[in-house]
Each structure stands twice: as C-alpha cells, then as structure tokens.
Amino acid sequence: MTENEGEKPPILGSWRRVYAVEIGALVVVVALLRWLTTAAS
Amino acid sequence: MHALDWAVLLATTLLIIGYGLYKSRGAALSGEQHLRGGGDLPWHTIGLSVMATQASAITFLSVPGQAYEDGLRFVQFYFGLPLAMVVICAFILPRYYGLRVITAYEYLESRFDTKTRVLGALLFLVQRGLAAGITIYAPAIILSAVLGWPLEATVVGIGSVVILYTVTGGSRAVSQTQKQQMIVMMGGMVVAAVVIARSLPEEVALPDAVAVAGALGRMNAVSFEFDLNDRYNFWSGITGGFFLALAYFGTDQSQVGRYLGGRSMAESRLGLLFNGLFKIPMQFLILFVGILVFVFYQFAAPPLLFNAPLERQVQQSAEAPAFSALQTRWDATQAEKQAAARRFVAARHADDGAAQARAAEELRTLHARAGTLREEAKATVRRAVPGAETKDADFVFIRFVTRWLPEGLVGLLVAVILFAAMSSTASELTALGQTTTVDLWRRLLRPEVDDRTLLLASKGFTVFWGLVALAFASFASLLDNLIQAVNILGSIFYGTTLGVFLAGFFLRRVGANAVFAAAVVSQAVVVALFFGSSIGFLWYNVIGCGLVMALASVLAAAGFGRRTA
C-alpha cells in the first residue's frame, strides 16, 4: 500500500497536501523561534 | 500541601479515572477488543493519548529546570518529530493497518518470520519493562522529598491506581483517561505560566521578562551553528530527533498501541499529525514556564540549593558553618542582582540603550558570581554528604511551586505531575500486556485460545507487568544513577529494533534469515561497544540501526536468506 491509498483526508483533498501543511507549519515554527532568539538577544 | 490542594488533587484524579472507566464501559466485550482499544477512537483522542504517553512526569519536573539552567535550546530536540510523523503516516501506518495488527511486532512475522517477531517483542519487553519501573520511581522520589510523602507509599499509590484502570478498562480506558489527563496537564501549565507572569514585579511586563531572560542568554531557542559536540542545535534536532522519533513512534508498542486504536487509518493519521503539529509548541510552553521562573528569581532570591532535603542535611553536618558563610554571600549577591535587574527594566522603559547595556553587563557579572557560589555550595554538599547527587535542576520547578504558588494551584500542578506519570505508565503496561499476550503467549503457546481466556490472559499479563514495574521501582534506590542506566539500556536495544523494522519497510530484497543474523550480530557489537568503548550511548541508536541495515543488505546480496517471494 502506498501513501495515496486508503481513505481521503477530511480536509485539503489529499494526504500529500496535509503532509505539506505539516512540514510548512514546522518551517513557520522554526522561523518564529529563530526570530525570538534573535530579537531577545 | 493544604486541604484545598488535596481536594483539587483528589477531585481531578477521581473524576478523570471515573470518566475513563465510564467511557470504556461495555467496550471490552471481547479479548480482541480489550487488546485493540475498541478500534473506534477519533483523531483528537489518539493525538492527545500519543502526546500524554510521551509526556512523563520527568517532562514536567525536569524541563522547566532545564530551561532555568540552560535556556530554551532543548526545544530543538523536537524539530525532527513532525517529519517522523509524516514518514510514519505515509509509509508505516498503511502496513500496520493493511495487516490489521495489534502489535508492531506482528508486522515482523508477516514480513520476515516468527523468530524475528519474537526477537523484536523480547527486545521491547526487556527495555520497556525496566523503563516502566523508572516512570513510576523517578517522580515518586522527587515528590516524596519535596512534599514529605513516604517514598514506598507514593510508588505503590501511583502504580496501583494505574494497574486498576488499565486492567479494568483496557486500552480504550487508557486512551480516554489520557485525553482528560493531557487537557489537565496543558491547562495546568498555562495557568502556571499566567500566575508566574503576574507574580513578577508590577513594572515588569512580559516583553521585559523576555528581555531579561535574553540578556542572560536564556532565549536561545534556535541555533544553526553546526557543532557535533553541541547536543542541541537545529541540525542535531532535525536529524537525531527525526531518527529517535521514528524509532519511538514507529516501532515502540507503547506508542503503536495508542494510534492503532483509531476508528480508521485516516483518524490515526490525523492523530499522529496533530501530535507533530502541537509537540513543539507544547515543549516550548513547558520550557517557557521555566524561563518565567528564572526571570521571577531575578527579582526575588532563589534558594542556594533547590534540593531542600539535601540542604537540611548539610545544615546539620560539620560543613554547616561553611555553608552558612556561602549563604550570606549568596544573599548579598542576590540583592545586588535584583537591583541590577530593576535598573535594566527601568532603562528599557526609558529607552536608554546605553544604560540598558550597562545594566545587562552588570546582571551577567552578578549571574556568573552567583553561579560560582552555587558550585562552591555543591562542593560543600559533596564534602558533607559523600556520594550525594548535587545536580538539582529537577527540583527547581517543584520547589518554586510549593514555595510561591497559591493554594489550589499547588494541588493542580502536583496532579499534572502525577497524571504525567500515570499516563506514561498506563501506555507502557498496556503495551507490555499486549505484546506478551499476542506475540509470545498466543503466538507460541495458545494459538487456538478462546476469547474469554484471551481476555483473562491479557489482563493477567498487564497485572504481571504492573507488579514487575512496582517491584523494580521499590528496589530502584539500590542502583546508582538509575535513570541514566535505563536510558543506556534503552539505547542498546533501540537501534537494533529500528534497523529490523526499517529493513522490513525499505530493503525489499532482504529476507528473514539475513535480517535475523544481522540483528543478532549488530546487537552483539553494540553490547561489545558498551563494555569495551567510551562512545556516547546515544550513538548506539545510530550504530545499531545502521549495522542491521548494512549487514542485512550485504547478506542478502551474497544470497544468504534471500527473499524468494
């Protein structure tokens, strides 16, 4: 079974998009934490 | 603790466990359902249950103390976790669901053979069986020291409550209970953060608190500098953290058992992705509570030692005069530091950059002087109480809570720590019971077992592992540096287990005999490295995993145990 089989996600239409949002959220969180590090130092 | 604290602690405990058992009533009709957790959990229950399993009591006791001493940088350790969730959802979960497995080790039989499955199950049982004892013992020793509770009673109290609801309600009750416990844990930490921020001097607003922490090097959340000797930076988090999360969430039954109880694969996936999305903010919140405690102590005197029982022992020893002299110098330094911190905030409000920089420099000098005094105090402790553990970061938060927070909130935060211990232990006992029942007892001894006997056996094995954990926790004080010992033990086995699973998932040509031989040889090499080298134990994970995959590939290429299907 590959990542595209099985049920569709309830949001965003495909699991690939859901995974992309998860990774995008990680990038945003790291960027925010980096900004906090720089701004507070 | 006051009467109100006890009322809060008992009320939350009884309500949550009662609710968990109520929600799981009638669900455990069959042994199969009892083991599977009902198979009808929605994504939010799975997500919170997975998070509650990982968040042990030590998370809430140690992490704020770690931020107090070392700043925010520990948060980077979790950067690889969301990526591991994506890999598990995309590649591992479909395999588990496709085979309708109860335990992760069933997959190994389907992909390889029975002996590989039994090997995976045994490695898990040894490692997790010992860890379950520590999950109970580690918070019990700190709570008993700070709150004056008897250690044995604390251990038996935590263990008995967990065994009761785990055995009665099965995997489903564990998930339902963990969901509520997680809500209380996070709610408790949010309330603690708000109360601590409001306890700062009136002129110190949150941005001022962040600036004070930043001036003293505590806002070090992300560093992109590549340094192999630096344990926490972006690169170690995104690579080491990824592999560790992949091994833990992908192959450890205490986690696999949580998300396989989902209503569907989509619900399990969403639960895991929820964990990936909220794990870093959650760890940040816990670390930030530690930062707020740190800032609070720039405006109020912290104790010279956070471990109060140890402090009392020193005060009753021959080293008492030396310790008292240090205490006098400590108090004077703290008074100077508080004045410098107030000047720093005043300069910040006046927008006077030069004065702010001067006050910051002064703060750093006084902070370094305080650090030296603390080291001298620890040396005094070692002379007064030979062999005493002077690292007291684990005591920072609980000592702050009991000294400074209002009645009621103390009870809530003790509940947070106890719930964290219970939720992790519940998953561990459930997983140990599931694995012993499914992978050893039913698979090897009773393949034709009827459902009623299966139910009784799974409950019996869970009680058995609960008693093993309690026995281990009761004798734990006989071993030195116990937590590190168990971490080392875990690292010795984790690499091999992950290597076997990854070979199954990604090395299509590798067959059962090749992977089994590779696993046995790799495990022997890791054990030999443990006894005969000084390599840091975290590297055993990488070495074990890499060796299994490399050796299995070479053996398969040489035609040994090549997969024929």
Side-chain angles (χ1 to χ4, degrees):
Chain A
M1 190 180 279
T2 69
E3 66 268 38
N4 283 326
E5 290 178 70
E7 303 133 281
K8 288 270 180 203
I11 46 166
L12 299 172
S14 82
W15 285 107
R16 280 178 200 275
R17 284 190 200 142
V18 176
Y19 301 151
V21 168
E22 178 96 354
I23 294 167
L26 171 65
V27 173
V28 170
V29 167
V30 172
L32 280 173
L33 289 172
R34 178 64 193 169
W35 169 80
L36 184 65
T37 306
T38 316
S41 301
Chain B
M1 291 210 309
H2 294 90
L4 182 61
D5 296 318
W6 279 107
V8 170
L9 176 60
L10 291 175
T12 44
T13 307
L14 291 176
L15 273 175
I16 286 177
I17 291 168
Y19 176 83
L21 291 174
Y22 169 77
K23 286 287 281 185
S24 59
R25 75 199 186 288
L29 293 174
S30 71
E32 194 78 9
Q33 280 176 314
H34 186 81
L35 286 161
R36 277 189 191 281
D40 60 352
L41 299 175
W43 63 268
H44 43 87
T45 303
I46 294 169
L48 290 170
S49 169
V50 163
M51 290 176 87
T53 297
Q54 193 182 18
S56 70
I58 286 299
T59 305
F60 292 91
L61 284 166
S62 291
V63 173
Q66 193 165 357
Y68 184 93
E69 297 211 323
D70 202 29
L72 289 172
R73 67 198 198 107
F74 179 60
V75 77
Q76 297 167 107
F77 183 70
Y78 293 93
F79 285 176
L81 190 144
L83 300 179
M85 293 304 105
V86 169
V87 171
I88 292 168
C89 288
F91 299 105
I92 299 179
L93 203 55
R95 288 174 165 89
Y96 289 159
Y97 261 91
L99 294 167
R100 298 262 315 136
V101 297
I102 293 174
T103 75
Y105 317 106
E106 286 179 84
Y107 163 78
L108 294 179
E109 176 157 19
S110 152
R111 171 64 177 83
F112 297 117
D113 61 3
T114 312
K115 66 176 181 297
T116 312
R117 171 182 177 176
V118 171
L119 177 69
L122 287 175
L123 290 177
F124 168 75
L125 292 175
V126 171
Q127 175 194 338
R128 198 47 71 180
L130 295 178
I134 295 304
T135 313
I136 300 172
Y137 176 75
I141 193 166
I142 294 171
L143 289 175
S144 64
V146 175
L147 302 172
W149 298 353
L151 180 60
E152 289 289 309
T154 311
V155 164
V156 172
I158 297 173
S160 319
V161 171
V162 176
I163 293 172
L164 177 77
Y165 73 78
T166 306
V167 173
T168 313
S171 187
R172 194 167 195 268
V174 170
S175 296
Q176 291 295 349
T177 314
Q178 283 174 327
K179 181 179 166 182
Q180 312 303 326
Q181 286 170 332
M182 195 65 204
I183 291 168
V184 173
M185 284 190 248
M186 293 323 296
M189 291 312 272
V190 169
V191 172
V194 171
V195 171
I196 301 168
R198 290 174 65 93
S199 308
L200 294 171
E202 208 173 317
E203 73 271 22
V204 183
L206 194 60
D208 302 320
V210 170
V212 170
L216 290 168
R218 292 300 187 276
M219 297 303 292
N220 50 350
V222 181
S223 165
F224 286 113
E225 257 178 66
F226 184 78
D227 181 359
L228 274 178
N229 297 318
D230 182 13
R231 192 177 285 176
Y232 307 120
N233 57 44
F234 174 82
W235 306 108
S236 67
I238 208 86
T239 53
F242 169 76
F243 277 102
L244 197 62
L246 200 59
Y248 177 54
F249 290 99
T251 72
D252 190 309
Q253 180 60 23
S254 60
Q255 282 294 357
V256 176
R258 297 296 94 222
Y259 57 77
L260 288 186
R263 189 184 291 158
S264 65
M265 188 161 71
E267 299 288 332
S268 298
R269 274 178 166 154
L270 290 174
L272 283 170
L273 294 171
F274 173 87
N275 173 45
L277 203 59
F278 286 99
K279 189 73 194 179
I280 298 173
M282 172 190 147
Q283 289 296 330
F284 176 80
L285 170 68
I286 301 171
L287 284 163
F288 196 69
V289 167
I291 295 292
L292 287 172
V293 171
F294 175 81
V295 175
F296 178 88
Y297 278 137
Q298 304 311 308
F299 299 93
L304 180 51
L305 291 177
F306 285 100
N307 185 342
L310 196 56
E311 198 176 11
R312 282 194 289 277
Q313 272 181 279
V314 179
Q315 283 160 347
Q316 287 159 8
S317 74
E319 295 292 334
F323 192 79
S324 174
L326 278 170
Q327 182 70 57
T328 308
R329 287 166 62 198
W330 174 261
D331 292 340
T333 304
Q334 291 304 323
E336 279 185 68
K337 195 151 70 106
Q338 287 165 33
R342 285 179 190 276
R343 277 196 296 280
F344 177 85
V345 172
R348 199 169 177 276
H349 289 176
D351 216 8
D352 183 344
Q356 192 181 333
R358 273 197 308 279
E361 195 49 49
E362 213 178 330
L363 255 181
R364 282 191 281 272
T365 307
L366 290 163
H367 186 69
R369 194 198 297 169
T372 310
L373 287 172
R374 248 168 79 73
E375 286 311 310
E376 285 180 40
K378 287 180 180 182
T380 311
V381 169
R382 282 190 287 272
R383 283 196 302 274
V385 189
E389 175 59 79
T390 54
K391 193 178 171 297
D392 60 355
D394 291 352
F395 289 84
V396 170
F397 184 55
I398 189 71
R399 177 124 186 221
F400 172 83
V401 166
T402 51
R403 167 69 181 82
W404 295 100
L405 292 189
E407 268 181 55
L409 187 54
V410 177
L412 180 65
L413 289 171
V414 171
V416 164
I417 292 161
L418 288 177
F419 287 168
M422 288 179 190
S423 61
S424 303
T425 311
S427 290
E428 288 172 338
L429 295 188
T430 307
L432 288 162
Q434 285 170 326
T435 305
T436 312
T437 309
V438 174
D439 295 302
L440 301 182
W441 185 74
R442 185 169 71 174
R443 179 64 189 84
L444 301 177
L445 302 174
R446 299 285 298 276
E448 303 298 328
V449 66
D450 65 90
D451 200 73
R452 194 171 164 277
T453 314
L454 182 68
L455 178 64
L456 283 175
S458 73
K459 290 187 174 193
F461 284 126
T462 308
V463 172
F464 167 77
W465 282 109
L467 295 176
V468 168
L470 271 181
F472 188 67
S474 300
F475 292 107
S477 58
L478 299 177
L479 300 170
D480 287 333
N481 211 347
L482 191 87
I483 295 168
Q484 176 148 315
V486 169
N487 278 337
I488 293 172
L489 195 75
S491 293
I492 290 173
F493 295 119
Y494 243 158
T496 307
T497 308
L498 180 64
V500 170
F501 273 90
L502 291 185
F505 296 144
F506 300 113
L507 303 179
R508 285 166 190 259
R509 289 161 55 93
V510 169
N513 290 339
V515 85
F516 188 83
V520 170
V521 171
S522 305
Q523 194 59 70
V525 170
V526 173
V527 171
L529 284 174
F530 170 66
F531 285 110
S533 81
S534 57
I535 294 175
F537 69 84
L538 283 174
W539 286 107
Y540 299 155
N541 294 297
V542 182
I543 294 168
C545 176
L547 258 181
V548 170
M549 295 184 75
L551 276 176
S553 301
V554 169
L555 289 171
F560 180 75
R562 187 186 292 255
R563 204 180 184 194
T564 49

